[in-house]
Amino acid sequence: MQELDVQSGVISCRRDRLNKLAAKTWDFHVSELFKFHSKYGHCLVSQTLGFFSGLDNFVNELLTRMKEDSPVKLTRREMDALRQKGLLADLRNMAKNQKRLYHQNSKIILNTWHSMLKLLNEYKRKYKTLGFPPPGENDYNPDEFDNLKTWFH
């Protein structure tokens, strides 16, 4: 059966589809990382920021692949894509300082959590509910608490 798949080119087609999917996923994550970097000025993505879901895993994978002893390195195409977006230097700096950044990231997570909790308390005081959107409120501005809704759910 496997020999038949090889002869008919089925395996080659499957491999091509997987490569195209991986390229789309790569481009999507690089684009999201660029948006994050543009907004926050760094690539230190926290998993608590639900607005960039899964991006923390992507960054961790990049940092792992940038280590000297990593068995799987970034390809030239991947390095070029990161360099073109202005992300490579920041990621290299992060790779060199991972232990220090872990502690810094912990502080960011804690500060973000406290900020969101404060915002949640404001929301509850203002609307007397934790539902999104609040029932029967005509003056509700969805943009005002959009990040809170993502974090809360």
Side-chain angles (χ1 to χ4, degrees):
M1 182 70 171
Q2 189 174 10
E3 191 175 313
L4 185 61
D5 282 347
V6 171
Q7 290 172 353
S8 69
V10 170
I11 290 178
S12 177
C13 288
R14 288 181 187 151
R15 186 178 54 238
D16 290 346
R17 281 198 316 243
L18 284 173
N19 287 339
K20 285 178 185 175
L21 179 62
K24 283 182 183 179
T25 302
W26 168 265
D27 292 340
F28 172 77
H29 280 102
V30 169
S31 174
E32 289 295 292
L33 184 57
F34 178 72
K35 289 176 193 173
F36 180 90
H37 189 270
S38 297
K39 184 173 184 174
Y40 296 104
H42 60 79
C43 293
L44 187 59
V45 181
S46 166
Q47 68 186 44
T48 61
L49 294 172
F51 336 116
F52 293 95
S53 182
L55 196 55
D56 57 318
N57 293 331
F58 178 70
V59 170
N60 287 334
E61 175 68 21
L62 289 177
L63 295 176
T64 299
R65 291 176 62 194
M66 291 175 86
K67 288 182 181 176
E68 246 178 66
D69 60 345
S70 176
V72 179
K73 300 283 189 189
L74 292 174
T75 65
R76 182 170 302 281
R77 177 192 168 293
E78 292 169 336
M79 297 279 276
D80 288 344
L82 293 170
R83 188 178 294 112
Q84 285 174 352
K85 296 280 188 181
L87 303 170
L88 189 59
D90 195 32
L91 288 166
R92 281 187 171 149
N93 186 36
M94 287 174 64
K96 288 179 189 171
N97 301 302
Q98 251 184 327
K99 272 189 180 176
R100 183 180 58 79
L101 289 173
Y102 174 79
H103 295 294
Q104 184 180 346
N105 197 15
S106 297
K107 289 178 186 175
I108 290 171
I109 291 169
L110 192 57
N111 288 339
T112 301
W113 195 89
H114 284 294
S115 298
M116 296 308 270
L117 184 61
K118 184 178 176 184
L119 192 58
L120 184 62
N121 283 328
E122 283 177 35
Y123 181 90
K124 186 170 184 204
R125 255 193 312 281
K126 183 173 181 177
Y127 296 111
K128 312 281 189 268
T129 183
L130 292 178
F132 292 93
E137 289 291 332
N138 294 332
D139 65 338
Y140 175 72
N141 177 5
D143 295 335
E144 184 180 6
F145 293 104
D146 194 38
N147 291 346
L148 178 63
K149 179 181 175 184
T150 304
W151 177 78
F152 186 68
H153 290 283

